[in-house]
Structure formats: C-alpha cells, structure tokens
Amino acid sequence: MKNSKLFTLVIAIAVVVLIVSCHRKRDKLVNSWKVSAVEPKETVSDSTKNAILTNGMLTFTEDGHVTGYLLREITDGTYALSQKGKKLVIKDEVGTPYVCESTITDDKLILDTKEAKLTFDKI
C-alpha cells in the first residue's frame, strides 16, 4: 500500500513537471517572429528563399492559434508543442500538419524541418 502511494506521488510530480516545462516553452513562443535566416535542405530558387526572408513571419497566440506567412499565408492555423517544447506542429487552415523540431529561446525561434531550417527573431 505504501509503495503504491509513493508510486502515485512520483507519477503526479512527473506529470506536473512535464506540464510546467511545456507551459514555459509555450510562454516563450507566444509572440510575433520574423524570419532572419533560411537554410534549405532541398533545392530552392533564390526568389523563393528571398520571399521567405522578406515576408516570413509567424504570430503565435496563447489560445493555440498561429497566423503569418512562410511559403504562403496562414490566416487561421493552430499549433501544438510537445516533447518539452522540442517538437512543434503547425496546422494550416485545412488541417495540413507541418512538423518541426523546435528550439525556443527568449529572442530566437529555430524550426527545423526536412525541407529547411528557419531561424526567427522575436519582434
């Protein structure tokens, strides 16, 4: 009986730590971000790269929505963070998921996908 209470307590503490960790990363993510660097992993035309650098921006809200522009405009997307903020999934208006490995600091956001690595600066 004592062991099961201890086990339950340890599990509860682990869940709280995980939730707090993800919440902190989400707090850092909630803001507007401007693309500052594009490192393509596939062949990309200079005009496409320049369009992303010129227009690329994302705004994340507390209620889980994202708007902005990367290769096209995102007007009503959603996002979810997992793996302690290391994985970000952005879904566009039609629900197409874009999975990224994410690095979030106070002033930088790095999204690493199979197509490119994008660096954003907080604005």
Short mmCIF file of all heavy atoms in Angstrom, two decimals, residues 52-81:
data_model
loop_
_atom_site.label_atom_id
_atom_site.label_comp_id
_atom_site.label_asym_id
_atom_site.label_seq_id
_atom_site.Cartn_x
_atom_site.Cartn_y
_atom_site.Cartn_z
N ILE A 52 10.72 34.23 -48.63
CA ILE A 52 10.61 33.80 -47.23
C ILE A 52 11.33 34.79 -46.32
O ILE A 52 10.81 35.18 -45.28
CB ILE A 52 11.16 32.37 -47.04
CG1 ILE A 52 10.30 31.36 -47.80
CG2 ILE A 52 11.21 32.00 -45.56
CD1 ILE A 52 10.89 29.97 -47.88
N LEU A 53 12.52 35.22 -46.71
CA LEU A 53 13.27 36.17 -45.90
C LEU A 53 12.56 37.53 -45.80
O LEU A 53 12.56 38.16 -44.76
CB LEU A 53 14.68 36.37 -46.46
CG LEU A 53 15.68 35.28 -46.12
CD1 LEU A 53 16.95 35.43 -46.96
CD2 LEU A 53 16.01 35.27 -44.65
N THR A 54 11.97 37.96 -46.89
CA THR A 54 11.30 39.26 -46.92
C THR A 54 9.97 39.25 -46.18
O THR A 54 9.67 40.15 -45.41
CB THR A 54 11.08 39.70 -48.39
OG1 THR A 54 12.33 39.74 -49.04
CG2 THR A 54 10.41 41.07 -48.44
N ASN A 55 9.16 38.20 -46.41
CA ASN A 55 7.79 38.17 -45.89
C ASN A 55 7.58 37.21 -44.73
O ASN A 55 6.53 37.25 -44.09
CB ASN A 55 6.81 37.78 -47.01
CG ASN A 55 6.91 38.70 -48.20
OD1 ASN A 55 6.93 39.91 -48.05
ND2 ASN A 55 6.99 38.13 -49.39
N GLY A 56 8.53 36.34 -44.47
CA GLY A 56 8.35 35.29 -43.48
C GLY A 56 8.14 35.81 -42.07
O GLY A 56 8.97 36.54 -41.54
N MET A 57 7.01 35.44 -41.50
CA MET A 57 6.67 35.87 -40.15
C MET A 57 5.59 34.94 -39.59
O MET A 57 4.74 34.46 -40.33
CB MET A 57 6.12 37.30 -40.20
CG MET A 57 5.89 37.91 -38.83
SD MET A 57 5.14 39.53 -39.01
CE MET A 57 3.61 39.21 -38.17
N LEU A 58 5.65 34.67 -38.31
CA LEU A 58 4.62 33.89 -37.63
C LEU A 58 4.25 34.58 -36.33
O LEU A 58 5.12 35.11 -35.64
CB LEU A 58 5.10 32.47 -37.34
CG LEU A 58 5.37 31.57 -38.53
CD1 LEU A 58 6.01 30.25 -38.07
CD2 LEU A 58 4.09 31.29 -39.30
N THR A 59 2.96 34.54 -36.00
CA THR A 59 2.48 35.06 -34.72
C THR A 59 1.72 33.94 -34.02
O THR A 59 0.76 33.40 -34.57
CB THR A 59 1.55 36.28 -34.92
OG1 THR A 59 2.30 37.31 -35.56
CG2 THR A 59 1.03 36.79 -33.58
N PHE A 60 2.19 33.58 -32.82
CA PHE A 60 1.58 32.53 -32.01
C PHE A 60 0.80 33.18 -30.87
O PHE A 60 1.32 34.08 -30.21
CB PHE A 60 2.66 31.60 -31.44
CG PHE A 60 3.45 30.87 -32.48
CD1 PHE A 60 4.62 31.42 -33.00
CD2 PHE A 60 3.02 29.64 -32.96
CE1 PHE A 60 5.36 30.76 -33.96
CE2 PHE A 60 3.75 28.97 -33.93
CZ PHE A 60 4.92 29.52 -34.43
N THR A 61 -0.42 32.71 -30.63
CA THR A 61 -1.24 33.27 -29.56
C THR A 61 -1.38 32.26 -28.42
O THR A 61 -1.14 31.06 -28.60
CB THR A 61 -2.64 33.66 -30.08
OG1 THR A 61 -3.29 32.48 -30.57
CG2 THR A 61 -2.54 34.69 -31.19
N GLU A 62 -1.80 32.76 -27.26
CA GLU A 62 -1.96 31.89 -26.09
C GLU A 62 -3.01 30.82 -26.29
O GLU A 62 -2.93 29.75 -25.69
CB GLU A 62 -2.34 32.73 -24.87
CG GLU A 62 -1.18 33.43 -24.24
CD GLU A 62 -1.56 34.10 -22.92
OE1 GLU A 62 -2.34 33.52 -22.15
OE2 GLU A 62 -1.07 35.21 -22.69
N ASP A 63 -4.02 31.11 -27.11
CA ASP A 63 -5.11 30.15 -27.31
C ASP A 63 -4.81 29.08 -28.36
O ASP A 63 -5.69 28.35 -28.79
CB ASP A 63 -6.41 30.87 -27.62
CG ASP A 63 -6.39 31.63 -28.94
OD1 ASP A 63 -5.31 31.68 -29.58
OD2 ASP A 63 -7.43 32.18 -29.33
N GLY A 64 -3.53 28.98 -28.80
CA GLY A 64 -3.13 27.89 -29.69
C GLY A 64 -3.29 28.19 -31.17
O GLY A 64 -3.25 27.27 -31.99
N HIS A 65 -3.43 29.45 -31.55
CA HIS A 65 -3.57 29.80 -32.96
C HIS A 65 -2.27 30.42 -33.48
O HIS A 65 -1.48 30.98 -32.73
CB HIS A 65 -4.73 30.77 -33.16
CG HIS A 65 -6.05 30.09 -33.05
ND1 HIS A 65 -6.69 29.91 -31.84
CD2 HIS A 65 -6.84 29.51 -33.97
CE1 HIS A 65 -7.82 29.26 -32.03
NE2 HIS A 65 -7.93 29.00 -33.32
N VAL A 66 -2.08 30.29 -34.79
CA VAL A 66 -0.92 30.86 -35.46
C VAL A 66 -1.37 31.49 -36.77
O VAL A 66 -2.22 30.95 -37.47
CB VAL A 66 0.19 29.80 -35.69
CG1 VAL A 66 -0.29 28.67 -36.57
CG2 VAL A 66 1.45 30.42 -36.25
N THR A 67 -0.80 32.67 -37.06
CA THR A 67 -1.02 33.34 -38.33
C THR A 67 0.34 33.78 -38.86
O THR A 67 1.31 33.83 -38.11
CB THR A 67 -1.93 34.59 -38.19
OG1 THR A 67 -1.33 35.47 -37.24
CG2 THR A 67 -3.32 34.21 -37.73
N GLY A 68 0.40 34.11 -40.14
CA GLY A 68 1.65 34.61 -40.68
C GLY A 68 1.85 34.20 -42.12
O GLY A 68 0.89 33.92 -42.85
N TYR A 69 3.12 34.16 -42.51
CA TYR A 69 3.48 33.84 -43.89
C TYR A 69 4.81 33.09 -43.89
O TYR A 69 5.77 33.51 -43.25
CB TYR A 69 3.62 35.12 -44.73
CG TYR A 69 4.02 34.85 -46.15
CD1 TYR A 69 3.05 34.63 -47.12
CD2 TYR A 69 5.36 34.77 -46.52
CE1 TYR A 69 3.41 34.36 -48.43
CE2 TYR A 69 5.73 34.49 -47.82
CZ TYR A 69 4.76 34.29 -48.77
OH TYR A 69 5.11 34.00 -50.07
N LEU A 70 4.84 31.98 -44.62
CA LEU A 70 6.09 31.30 -44.92
C LEU A 70 6.17 31.16 -46.44
O LEU A 70 6.57 32.07 -47.12
CB LEU A 70 6.21 29.97 -44.19
CG LEU A 70 6.44 30.10 -42.67
CD1 LEU A 70 6.48 28.76 -41.99
CD2 LEU A 70 7.71 30.88 -42.38
N LEU A 71 5.74 30.05 -46.99
CA LEU A 71 5.65 29.95 -48.44
C LEU A 71 4.32 30.49 -48.95
O LEU A 71 4.15 30.77 -50.12
CB LEU A 71 5.81 28.50 -48.90
CG LEU A 71 7.23 27.95 -48.78
CD1 LEU A 71 7.26 26.47 -49.13
CD2 LEU A 71 8.18 28.73 -49.67
N ARG A 72 3.37 30.59 -48.06
CA ARG A 72 2.06 31.17 -48.36
C ARG A 72 1.49 31.68 -47.05
O ARG A 72 2.01 31.42 -45.98
CB ARG A 72 1.14 30.14 -49.01
CG ARG A 72 0.83 28.95 -48.13
CD ARG A 72 -0.11 27.98 -48.84
NE ARG A 72 -0.55 26.96 -47.93
CZ ARG A 72 -1.49 27.12 -47.03
NH1 ARG A 72 -2.12 28.24 -46.90
NH2 ARG A 72 -1.84 26.13 -46.22
N GLU A 73 0.39 32.40 -47.16
CA GLU A 73 -0.22 32.99 -45.97
C GLU A 73 -0.92 31.93 -45.12
O GLU A 73 -1.57 31.03 -45.65
CB GLU A 73 -1.21 34.07 -46.38
CG GLU A 73 -1.69 34.88 -45.21
CD GLU A 73 -2.50 36.10 -45.64
OE1 GLU A 73 -2.88 36.20 -46.82
OE2 GLU A 73 -2.76 36.93 -44.77
N ILE A 74 -0.78 32.06 -43.82
CA ILE A 74 -1.51 31.23 -42.86
C ILE A 74 -2.43 32.19 -42.13
O ILE A 74 -1.97 33.06 -41.40
CB ILE A 74 -0.56 30.53 -41.86
CG1 ILE A 74 0.44 29.63 -42.57
CG2 ILE A 74 -1.36 29.74 -40.82
CD1 ILE A 74 1.54 29.09 -41.68
N THR A 75 -3.75 32.06 -42.35
CA THR A 75 -4.68 33.02 -41.76
C THR A 75 -5.35 32.52 -40.49
O THR A 75 -5.72 33.32 -39.64
CB THR A 75 -5.78 33.41 -42.77
OG1 THR A 75 -6.45 32.22 -43.20
CG2 THR A 75 -5.19 34.14 -43.96
N ASP A 76 -5.51 31.22 -40.35
CA ASP A 76 -6.19 30.69 -39.16
C ASP A 76 -5.67 29.30 -38.84
O ASP A 76 -6.40 28.33 -38.84
CB ASP A 76 -7.70 30.66 -39.38
CG ASP A 76 -8.45 30.30 -38.10
OD1 ASP A 76 -7.94 30.59 -37.00
OD2 ASP A 76 -9.55 29.72 -38.21
N GLY A 77 -4.37 29.21 -38.55
CA GLY A 77 -3.77 27.93 -38.22
C GLY A 77 -3.78 27.68 -36.73
O GLY A 77 -4.16 28.53 -35.93
N THR A 78 -3.37 26.48 -36.37
CA THR A 78 -3.23 26.11 -34.96
C THR A 78 -1.84 25.52 -34.77
O THR A 78 -1.16 25.16 -35.73
CB THR A 78 -4.29 25.08 -34.53
OG1 THR A 78 -4.15 23.90 -35.32
CG2 THR A 78 -5.70 25.64 -34.66
N TYR A 79 -1.44 25.44 -33.50
CA TYR A 79 -0.14 24.85 -33.21
C TYR A 79 -0.21 24.07 -31.90
O TYR A 79 -1.08 24.32 -31.06
CB TYR A 79 0.97 25.90 -33.14
CG TYR A 79 0.90 26.80 -31.93
CD1 TYR A 79 1.62 26.49 -30.78
CD2 TYR A 79 0.11 27.93 -31.91
CE1 TYR A 79 1.57 27.31 -29.66
CE2 TYR A 79 0.05 28.76 -30.80
CZ TYR A 79 0.78 28.43 -29.68
OH TYR A 79 0.72 29.23 -28.57
N ALA A 80 0.73 23.13 -31.76
CA ALA A 80 0.86 22.36 -30.53
C ALA A 80 2.33 22.07 -30.29
O ALA A 80 3.06 21.75 -31.23
CB ALA A 80 0.07 21.06 -30.63
N LEU A 81 2.74 22.23 -29.05
CA LEU A 81 4.10 21.90 -28.63
C LEU A 81 4.08 20.59 -27.87
O LEU A 81 3.16 20.32 -27.11
CB LEU A 81 4.65 22.98 -27.68
CG LEU A 81 5.26 24.22 -28.28
CD1 LEU A 81 5.58 25.21 -27.19
CD2 LEU A 81 6.50 23.90 -29.08
#
